[in-house]
Amino acid sequence: MNKVFVYAEYQVSIDFTQIDWDSVNLEMKKFAGLKSKTWLSGINTNTLGGFYEFDSVENAQNYINELLIPFSTKINGNLSVKIFDGNVTQEANIGMNSPFYPTTSE
């Protein structure tokens, strides 16, 4: 099974509580291959971002192209995105009890 992680951050200052994230969450759930998202809000900066898990690089890239990039235009923020290989790090993550990897006893 493929594990692909995406880190995204918008260089913009927006109070997280002032945005209708329920509607954004609904839109995100329409994308194939998105397994999970953890919202991030920068301390003292109000930058917006997230940590995502996808089932393939292709689905991650489609999400970036179709949702993250257009949203950066909407909020007038610069977007920084990185894609990570979650398979190569599996053993190390299991050793750290990562919630994204089952332990060997499960």
Side-chain angles (χ1 to χ4, degrees), residues 90-91 93-106:
Q90 181 171 335
E91 188 175 334
N93 282 301
I94 289 171
M96 291 305 299
N97 298 317
S98 169
F100 297 99
Y101 296 82
T103 61
T104 55
S105 63
E106 291 180 356

Side-chain angles (χ1 to χ4, degrees), residues 61-105:
Q61 190 63 61
N62 182 56
Y63 182 87
I64 292 164
N65 294 343
E66 299 297 322
L67 192 128
L68 295 182
I69 292 172
F71 188 67
S72 68
T73 302
K74 183 175 181 179
I75 63 170
N76 197 28
N78 292 322
L79 174 63
S80 175
V81 178
K82 295 182 182 192
I83 301 175
F84 297 91
D85 181 344
N87 293 324
V88 71
T89 61
Q90 181 171 335
E91 188 175 334
N93 282 301
I94 289 171
M96 291 305 299
N97 298 317
S98 169
F100 297 99
Y101 296 82
T103 61
T104 55
S105 63

Side-chain angles (χ1 to χ4, degrees), residues 39-52:
W39 286 102
L40 301 173
S41 179
I43 296 173
N44 298 326
T45 63
N46 287 331
T47 56
L48 301 174
F51 180 72
Y52 310 76

Side-chain angles (χ1 to χ4, degrees), residues 6-50:
V6 171
Y7 168 77
E9 182 178 359
Y10 294 100
Q11 299 301 314
V12 64
S13 183
I14 298 175
D15 184 345
F16 191 81
T17 63
Q18 301 301 308
I19 297 176
D20 178 13
W21 295 109
D22 289 332
S23 65
V24 177
N25 285 344
L26 286 174
E27 187 64 28
M28 285 189 303
K29 289 177 182 181
K30 295 177 183 177
F31 284 85
L34 177 61
K35 294 180 172 183
S36 68
K37 180 192 178 151
T38 300
W39 286 102
L40 301 173
S41 179
I43 296 173
N44 298 326
T45 63
N46 287 331
T47 56
L48 301 174

